[in-house]
Amino acid sequence: MYRLNLTAILSAILAAAIFSGCCGSQAAHYDGPVYLNPQASLDERVEDAISRMTLEEKVAMVHAQSKFSSPGVARLGISELWCTDGPHGIRPEVLWDEWEQAGWTNDSVVAYPALTALAATWNRDMSALYGKSIGEEARYREKDVLLGPGVNIYRTPLNGRNFEYMGEDPYLSARMVVPYIQELQKNGVAACVKHFALNNEEAYRHTIDVDLDDRALYEIYLPAFKAAVQEGGAWSIMSSYNLYKGSWVCSDTLLTKKILRDEWGFDGAVISDWGGVHSTDETAHGGLDLEFGTWTDGLTMGATKAYDNYYLAAPYLKKLRSGELPVADLDTKVRNVLRLIIRTAMNTGKPFGALCSEAHYAAARRIGGEGIVLLKNDSALLPVKKDAKRILVVGENAVKMMTVGGGSSSLKVEREISPLEGIRARAAKDGIEVKYVRGYVGDVGGSYNGVTTGQDLSESRSAAELIAEAVREAAGADYVIFVGGLNKSDHQDCEGADRYSLSLPYSQNEVIEALAAANENLIVSLVSGNAVAMPWVERVPSILQTWYLGSEAGEALADVLFGDVNPSGKLPFTFPKRLTDSPAHAEGDSLSHNGKYFYKEGIYVGYRWFDEKDIEPLFAFGHGLSYTTFEYGQARLSSSAMKKGGSLKVTVPVTNTGAVPGAEVVQLYVSDAESYLPRPKKELKGFEKVYLEAGETANVVFTLDESALKFFDADLHEWVSEPGEFTLLLGSASDDIRTCASFTLK
């Protein structure tokens, strides 16, 4: 059953006595520990608690006691701290010292769309709804720390963990992560923003030593983390596995101390990724506060229940007692962990939370529908017409459960509506017959850490037989909907491994080509968290990027296919035509980096690279179509000049010129005419999603200040702006600029 937090109950009773009085209306005098007194300041409570702790209790505070918990101090009534994997749902309970599930019957949850889908909404309100909903489920399950969200930059389409992140652009990621954190933490559950930093590939994540110039670090890879700390108010950060400039990030002082603490003012706890700590001395001096997973991570299993042997456990205590390591560093770590515990486990103001509520399913469905991206729609093939008689659905991903697998984000769900189920249910309302054929065989497995899908996807027929069946059935259908893409297997969208190539697996290209030849009304729905190559793109009239949409995947997809929801998603990363068009692979590099590796492309990541090299993408960053059309008027500035430290407004009228209501994401890019350092041709600095009825016009207003014009000068180690001319580019995608306006920074 759920853990009973006696400390929280005691704190609540004490708080009630303080605020209401014990014997009347006069508040009672409180002589107990300050750290249990909610009226005391956070710092007072921390310092009072730490003054009462023994050296042994302090050391126990900075390492795990089980797979997902740390001990607190029972003698003083300081609560345990319980973590849970996310960031798309609350992981099922596992055994004390194992990854296998504990066999509970009340830990099934709602699976929310993957963070790539959330980023594709380009809607801060959806991020807030996501954080609120998942926070309520974490709170109900008595979790104190949600290990997420992830904001590592999409540098390469081969990274197996890209589906857990928010795309290639630092501004988009920063704007989308803040509401998630704010709403999550209102539940008394800490966000643990990950993976700090430079976790951009999986295969050698434990050994790769990343290096890059400071300008790229500050302009591309850090802004989302900075926003999470300074604007989102994140209470914890997870350090990444990799090394940075020769030091493990969890033992590093530049990232986790100088930047995170000194420059950004972070006062929460830095938590290791599971198995990410490698030494006692360096970690003791570094910025890590709480060690998890060492020797019990499934990678270097030397002993079970080895928590006293952790680097920050008995070895640390021995060196503290001998004076080899200073107690002052330990006290700093304990302070950070205590703040986290008081904000979460000992927080008496937390709401109750909720699990698997209809409101949560509705949130998952709404977020999924807004995140689906209509990549192509020739001849207005979509939405499905009401007079259709027969739809053929093809593809394993139309029926395969996607909530199980993929690594630490794997879930045990109460329900998962497949694309086929969603299409069938919605088609029935219009009297449309739906038939399904397999088309291809991918991954017939369906289990992860003891959670199984219960699906039997075994298949005895050959690939040729499956294609022949699909072609035969396609000939008489009004629509053919192919649901394919990637899955959560190793070397696809999965933690711990990277993709081998940009291509679709399991001979799906052959299936799509055959279907395109058999029926001109072909719709391809791609389930993935990564870009894929599309050699058939010219022969397929309608293409959807539908991501991993969680429990309500089928409902959200059907909403868009049948026009109940007008698609408004935009790509959060660029789709290249070929792998070597991407900056990380321009010289043909694969993702087999073991050891030192330098990011040669610097600040030119994603669309910045495609602009700089004049490479045409398959689908551009920010691209996404609608069932209606939008017309932009001329952008207007509030002033022709901006003073240093000042701001200006730009207004652009946007009109829905189609016949149905819809939403447009207006994107604002900034271009610097001249700079003493090279700059991208344009950089995203604003976006707004506007909902318009047919024929309606709205004025979309952006306010820019000087910070939107700055770049990072590594030699000066500061953000600078140069006087001169700037151009604001407004449009529907990074390659679809509709209007512009110029001004001067004085």
Side-chain angles (χ1 to χ4, degrees), residues 65-286:
Q65 66 169 358
S66 76
K67 187 66 72 178
F68 280 102
S69 72
S70 61
V73 184
R75 178 181 68 86
L76 297 175
I78 298 174
S79 297
E80 297 174 329
L81 188 76
W82 283 81
C83 302
T84 180
D85 269 318
H88 310 135
I90 311 308
R91 186 174 183 155
E93 297 298 329
V94 300
L95 297 171
W96 185 262
D97 192 48
E98 299 175 27
W99 289 115
E100 292 298 304
Q101 66 167 331
W104 290 18
T105 59
N106 57 354
D107 58 347
S108 296
V109 297
V110 174
Y112 296 92
L115 291 187
T116 43
L118 174 61
T121 70
W122 289 60
N123 188 339
R124 298 167 181 84
D125 291 341
M126 290 301 97
S127 180
L129 177 63
Y130 199 122
K132 175 181 184 295
S133 303
I134 199 171
E136 289 172 350
E137 300 228 341
R139 172 67 188 97
Y140 189 92
R141 288 271 302 278
E142 284 286 342
K143 303 304 180 185
D144 303 312
V145 180
L146 176 72
L147 303 175
V151 292
N152 291 95
I153 290 297
Y154 185 108
R155 178 177 176 264
T156 161
L158 299 189
N159 183 5
R161 212 163 185 178
N162 278 335
F163 71 98
E164 290 190 48
Y165 300 141
M166 294 191 182
E168 72 186 25
D169 184 75
Y171 183 86
L172 176 63
S173 298
R175 294 308 96 214
M176 291 299 291
V177 76
V178 168
Y180 181 118
I181 295 168
Q182 292 172 333
E183 293 300 317
L184 167 68
Q185 294 188 165
K186 287 179 182 178
N187 290 280
V189 177
C192 187
V193 186
K194 61 187 188 183
H195 301 86
F196 187 71
L198 303 166
N199 189 85
N200 303 114
E201 56 185 83
E202 287 290 296
Y204 290 100
R205 59 183 178 167
H206 294 275
T207 55
I208 186 171
D209 184 0
V210 176
D211 197 1
L212 72 168
D213 63 76
D214 283 355
R215 186 178 175 201
L217 178 70
Y218 275 82
E219 289 193 15
I220 304 296
Y221 297 97
L222 294 185
F225 288 104
K226 183 178 180 180
V229 169
Q230 294 189 333
E231 299 175 55
W235 292 336
S236 60
I237 294 286
M238 179 183 286
S239 60
S240 55
Y241 283 126
N242 52 278
L243 297 91
Y244 169 59
K245 293 188 175 181
S247 297
W248 302 104
V249 172
C250 63
S251 305
D252 163 80
T253 56
L254 176 57
L255 288 174
T256 56
K257 279 187 150 181
K258 182 179 182 297
I259 294 175
L260 187 60
R261 301 283 183 190
D262 299 342
E263 294 184 13
W264 298 351
F266 179 63
D267 72 347
V270 177
I271 299 174
S272 76
D273 205 342
W274 270 233
V277 179
H278 297 268
S279 70
T280 297
D281 288 17
E282 288 81 1
T283 308
H285 291 300

Side-chain angles (χ1 to χ4, degrees), residues 642-660:
M642 180 194 295
K643 294 181 180 179
K644 282 273 189 177
S647 64
L648 59 74
K649 291 183 178 180
V650 57
T651 302
V652 58
V654 179
T655 303
N656 180 348
T657 54
V660 296

Side-chain angles (χ1 to χ4, degrees), residues 277-572:
V277 179
H278 297 268
S279 70
T280 297
D281 288 17
E282 288 81 1
T283 308
H285 291 300
L288 185 78
D289 302 308
L290 189 50
E291 179 185 5
F292 272 100
T294 305
W295 294 345
T296 59
D297 59 357
L299 301 171
T300 54
M301 180 76 76
T304 58
K305 297 183 180 177
Y307 304 102
D308 288 340
N309 296 326
Y310 274 26
Y311 292 108
L312 292 184
Y316 191 22
L317 180 61
K318 180 180 179 180
K319 293 196 173 190
L320 288 163
R321 284 172 172 164
S322 69
E324 292 178 68
L325 293 173
V327 175
D329 286 345
L330 170 63
D331 285 348
T332 297
K333 297 179 190 297
V334 174
R335 286 187 182 94
N336 296 332
V337 175
L338 279 169
R339 286 192 199 97
L340 181 58
I341 291 174
I342 292 171
R343 285 165 167 163
T344 58
M346 297 179 68
N347 181 348
T348 61
K350 294 185 287 190
F352 287 109
L355 190 69
C356 294
S357 70
E358 286 308 308
H360 290 171
Y361 284 112
R365 182 173 179 173
R366 184 180 175 192
I367 294 164
E370 279 212 28
I372 290 174
V373 182
L374 181 60
L375 296 175
K376 185 180 179 184
N377 196 29
D378 288 354
S379 303
L381 180 60
L382 286 174
V384 171
K385 308 303 183 289
K386 292 183 181 297
D387 60 356
K389 302 300 182 185
R390 183 170 178 268
I391 294 174
L392 176 68
V393 177
V394 183
E396 181 177 281
N397 282 3
V399 296
K400 182 177 175 61
M401 285 185 65
M402 292 295 184
T403 56
V404 176
S408 61
S409 63
S410 181
L411 299 170
K412 183 168 78 173
V413 296
E414 184 184 57
R415 72 179 190 233
E416 179 179 343
I417 299 174
S418 71
L420 179 61
E421 290 171 324
I423 292 168
R424 273 189 170 148
R426 179 59 184 83
K429 294 180 180 180
D430 292 334
I432 303 173
E433 176 194 354
V434 175
K435 182 166 185 178
Y436 170 73
V437 297
R438 183 70 173 267
Y440 71 93
V441 179
D443 177 15
V444 299
S447 65
Y448 188 84
N449 288 150
V451 178
T452 60
T453 64
Q455 292 183 299
D456 182 5
L457 296 177
S458 59
E459 178 61 65
S460 60
R461 291 173 293 173
S462 68
E465 288 175 312
L466 292 174
I467 292 177
E469 179 192 37
V471 169
R472 186 169 59 250
E473 295 293 340
D478 295 305
Y479 292 92
V480 177
I481 302 174
F482 176 84
V483 185
L486 306 179
N487 57 39
K488 298 292 189 67
S489 301
D490 284 346
H491 302 292
Q492 295 198 46
D493 285 320
C494 184
E495 177 187 1
D498 294 311
R499 299 168 65 195
Y500 290 127
S501 75
L502 193 64
S503 297
L504 283 173
Y506 314 127
S507 302
Q508 290 180 76
N509 289 332
E510 287 84 342
V511 182
I512 295 171
E513 294 277 10
L515 290 173
N519 193 311
E520 63 181 7
N521 291 336
L522 174 61
I523 300 155
V524 170
S525 170
L526 293 170
V527 178
S528 75
N530 262 308
V532 299
M534 303 182 196
W536 34 261
V537 67
E538 298 299 329
R539 292 176 290 284
V540 175
S542 189
I543 306 171
L544 292 162
Q545 176 63 28
T546 54
W547 318 107
Y548 298 104
L549 298 182
S551 290
E552 295 292 283
E555 299 278 22
L557 176 58
D559 286 342
V560 170
L561 287 172
F562 289 86
D564 300 327
V565 168
N566 191 344
S568 61
K570 300 281 187 175
L571 289 179

